[in-house]
Amino acid sequence: MKNFATQEDRLDYLLQEFKEDSGQYKDLEVEDDYESKRMALRSLMNIRMPRKMAENIIKVQDEFLTLEAEEKGIVQMSQIKTVKEQYGSQHPYGDKLSIWQGDITRLAVGAIVNAANSQMLGCFVPCHRCIDNAIHSAAGIGLRAECSHRMNQKRIEYGPRYEEPTGQAMLTKAYNLPAQYVIHTVGPIVGYDLAEKHRQDLRNCYESVLKCCIDHKIRSVAFCCISTGEFHFPNDEAAKIAVETVTAILENHEGKFDRIIFNVFKDMDKEYYEKLL
């Protein structure tokens, strides 16, 4: 097993190994600055189909991503104020709810929620800005491998064309993320008009994730803004459904949760949740 003095040494090693592993891109030319090499490695991870890789390479990947997470700054739940603390919220569960703006892959909570697609294998578009890509990239290739294994099991049970239905929740390990678990859910895709079925599907996403938490005794969870990105669910309506659904679950299961975090990236979403809470 090689010893590496720096993150760049690990990056150089991983970039070479992932190029060789890809076959098609083994001769890929990359500029010699850290950012270019890092983007190239992420791209090779993003496009890689789930299959076995040598344990020594996986170990270096894990070291690299774990150190990278520490460099980005891991955010503990104790560092995030509740809406009651932050805003003086009068919400009945204001001491269990939080709004946090930032990168969800930094959160050291029980579970983070991934807005997945029906294939449940992560985003294959190199360095795409969606949350599915961000979570898989930070977790490492083990996450895609586990998702693939789970989907293969479901295809044995339900048929070779099985795709994950909208509104369900699937739990996996979090690998190199600071969270303990990732809960994947497929949100509704909105075309031209928002219909009641879209609303109900989104409610189902939040209900399924929280049921998954209860079933697995996960006491803290961070929700992304499910379906509001590539799936075009209106942001204001999505926030309203999220808060209403979470509140309804807490009415019956308040004691099962220490914290539920609404993770937002855009200022617009932060403002919507602030108004609601």
Side-chain angles (χ1 to χ4, degrees):
M1 180 67 195
K2 292 185 177 182
N3 292 317
F4 299 94
T6 67
Q7 275 290 76
E8 188 155 14
D9 291 339
R10 293 182 186 90
L11 176 58
D12 289 340
Y13 170 79
L14 290 169
L15 182 55
Q16 186 57 43
E17 293 294 341
F18 273 79
K19 283 165 63 176
E20 288 291 334
D21 171 77
S22 74
Q24 182 180 358
Y25 297 102
K26 64 179 182 175
D27 298 320
L28 179 69
E29 294 185 6
V30 182
E31 292 184 24
D32 196 34
D33 62 283
Y34 190 94
E35 186 61 28
S36 296
K37 291 187 287 188
R38 183 64 186 93
M39 294 285 280
L41 175 61
R42 177 170 174 173
S43 297
L44 290 167
M45 291 171 67
N46 292 160
I47 65 173
R48 186 180 188 272
M49 294 300 293
R51 61 182 181 276
K52 190 171 179 60
M53 181 172 260
E55 287 299 321
N56 60 309
I57 301 172
I58 295 292
K59 185 174 180 181
V60 178
Q61 177 214 238
D62 292 349
E63 290 173 352
F64 178 79
L65 292 175
T66 299
L67 286 168
E68 190 170 71
E70 292 172 1
E71 290 167 359
K72 282 196 297 186
I74 295 171
V75 179
Q76 303 292 336
M77 196 172 70
S78 59
Q79 298 173 260
I80 301 174
K81 292 182 178 181
T82 65
V83 292
K84 186 175 182 179
E85 293 169 329
Q86 189 167 7
Y87 305 106
S89 172
Q90 298 301 305
H91 188 280
Y93 306 107
D95 58 345
K96 289 187 179 286
L97 301 175
S98 295
I99 302 167
W100 187 78
Q101 186 173 25
D103 179 356
I104 200 170
T105 68
R106 295 174 59 201
L107 295 178
V109 293
I112 60 172
V113 177
N114 179 31
N117 58 53
S118 61
Q119 298 298 314
M120 298 294 275
L121 294 180
C123 172
F124 283 85
V125 180
C127 298
H128 194 248
R129 292 176 62 85
C130 70
I131 194 164
D132 198 12
N133 190 296
I135 287 174
H136 275 265
S137 296
I141 61 173
L143 181 56
R144 178 169 285 168
E146 182 177 351
C147 289
S148 176
H149 176 70
R150 297 286 299 281
M151 290 298 285
N152 286 337
Q153 289 179 318
K154 292 185 179 188
R155 290 190 184 103
I156 291 170
E157 184 175 357
Y158 300 115
R161 295 186 179 180
Y162 176 84
E163 294 184 0
E164 190 75 2
T166 302
Q168 295 187 8
M170 186 175 85
L171 182 75
T172 65
K173 294 186 291 185
Y175 296 88
N176 298 295
L177 293 159
Q180 291 178 280
Y181 299 98
V182 179
I183 302 176
H184 309 260
T185 189
V186 181
I189 300 173
V190 179
Y192 295 102
D193 296 314
L194 182 66
E196 181 54 34
K197 185 180 187 309
H198 296 129
R199 294 186 177 91
Q200 186 56 52
D201 283 343
L202 189 59
R203 290 186 198 104
N204 291 342
C205 288
Y206 284 91
E207 289 174 354
S208 296
V209 167
L210 293 176
K211 183 180 184 302
C212 180
C213 289
I214 293 167
D215 290 346
H216 293 89
K217 297 180 170 56
I218 298 168
R219 298 190 60 86
S220 59
V221 60
F223 281 101
C224 62
C225 298
I226 301 167
S227 280
T228 59
E230 298 292 311
F231 288 4
H232 306 297
F233 204 107
N235 297 60
D236 55 346
E237 187 74 11
K240 184 172 180 285
I241 289 169
V243 171
E244 287 176 351
T245 308
V246 168
T247 301
I249 296 291
L250 285 174
E251 286 175 2
N252 296 312
H253 301 285
E254 180 183 4
K256 301 289 178 67
F257 294 95
D258 296 325
R259 192 77 63 85
I260 298 173
I261 300 166
F262 297 108
N263 168 247
V264 298
F265 194 74
K266 298 176 181 177
D267 291 339
M268 170 180 62
D269 289 316
K270 184 169 183 281
E271 290 170 7
Y272 288 141
Y273 279 97
E274 286 173 343
K275 288 176 183 176
L276 291 163
L277 293 168

